[in-house]
Amino acid sequence: MKEGAKIACGGKIPDGLDPKGAYLEPTIFVNVKNNMTIAQEEIFGPVLCVIPFTSVDEAVHLANDSKYGLAAMVWSQDLFKANTVAKRLRCGTVWINTYGLFLNETPFGGYKQSGFGRELGKEGLWEYTQVKHIATDQTPGGRSLVTSWF
């Protein structure tokens, strides 16, 4: 709020909860610019920052202009356009017309500074493996493959 964003709704501790806890009503911020801290940090809470845009290209640029890339949402009645935008977003998960869908058979994890590796899916299992390549030449008088490249 020091940088100029304003709370449009929410932002209070819900009634009946301990004010010393980490509780926050779902909150929507407006007057947000993409270079503000609130737009550049990962906020793991019920917070939405409204940043206007005038084109799909600008929206993709704004979304990708962050050091983080855990997840994104695209909302559209045009599923072809939504999928086109989803492919351009540099993040590990993109939900289209939904939020928070996690399946055990699909990988979950972020891009950039939003974590390393993947959980869930076969990609998550790969995190517990170490890959090794062992090559053996059993031909009589065998020679290194590298020598045949030149």
Side-chain angles (χ1 to χ4, degrees):
M1 300 209 331
K2 290 188 246 178
E3 297 174 296
K6 294 189 180 353
I7 294 176
C9 66
K12 298 182 183 102
I13 297 170
D15 291 337
L17 296 178
D18 184 350
K20 296 178 185 173
Y23 306 105
L24 180 70
E25 294 174 331
T27 304
I28 297 176
F29 284 89
V30 295
N31 296 344
V32 179
K33 304 284 187 253
N34 206 45
N35 63 345
M36 292 179 175
T37 303
I38 196 168
Q40 290 296 315
E41 294 294 321
E42 288 183 316
I43 300 173
F44 291 97
V47 175
L48 175 83
C49 296
V50 178
I51 303 174
F53 58 90
T54 57
S55 70
V56 170
D57 287 340
E58 182 185 8
V60 170
H61 171 76
L62 290 168
N64 288 334
D65 186 25
S66 169
K67 62 184 175 183
Y68 300 106
L70 184 57
M73 292 173 281
V74 177
W75 297 88
S76 177
Q77 292 180 347
D78 183 337
L79 292 182
F80 178 81
K81 185 182 281 188
N83 276 286
T84 301
V85 169
K87 290 175 187 175
R88 294 175 61 193
L89 296 174
R90 292 191 320 254
C91 60
T93 297
V94 180
W95 293 292
I96 297 176
N97 296 338
T98 190
Y99 170 76
L101 177 64
F102 296 100
L103 302 171
N104 287 330
E105 61 271 18
T106 59
F108 176 77
Y111 285 20
K112 302 182 263 184
Q113 290 186 26
S114 287
F116 299 99
R118 293 292 177 266
E119 300 173 18
L120 307 175
K122 63 183 176 186
E123 294 81 1
L125 293 175
W126 293 340
E127 295 295 318
Y128 297 97
T129 66
Q130 290 186 344
V131 176
K132 181 182 292 190
H133 173 205
I134 299 174
T136 303
D137 182 353
Q138 293 183 327
T139 59
R143 62 187 181 123
S144 170
L145 178 61
V146 174
T147 61
S148 66
W149 289 354
F150 304 101

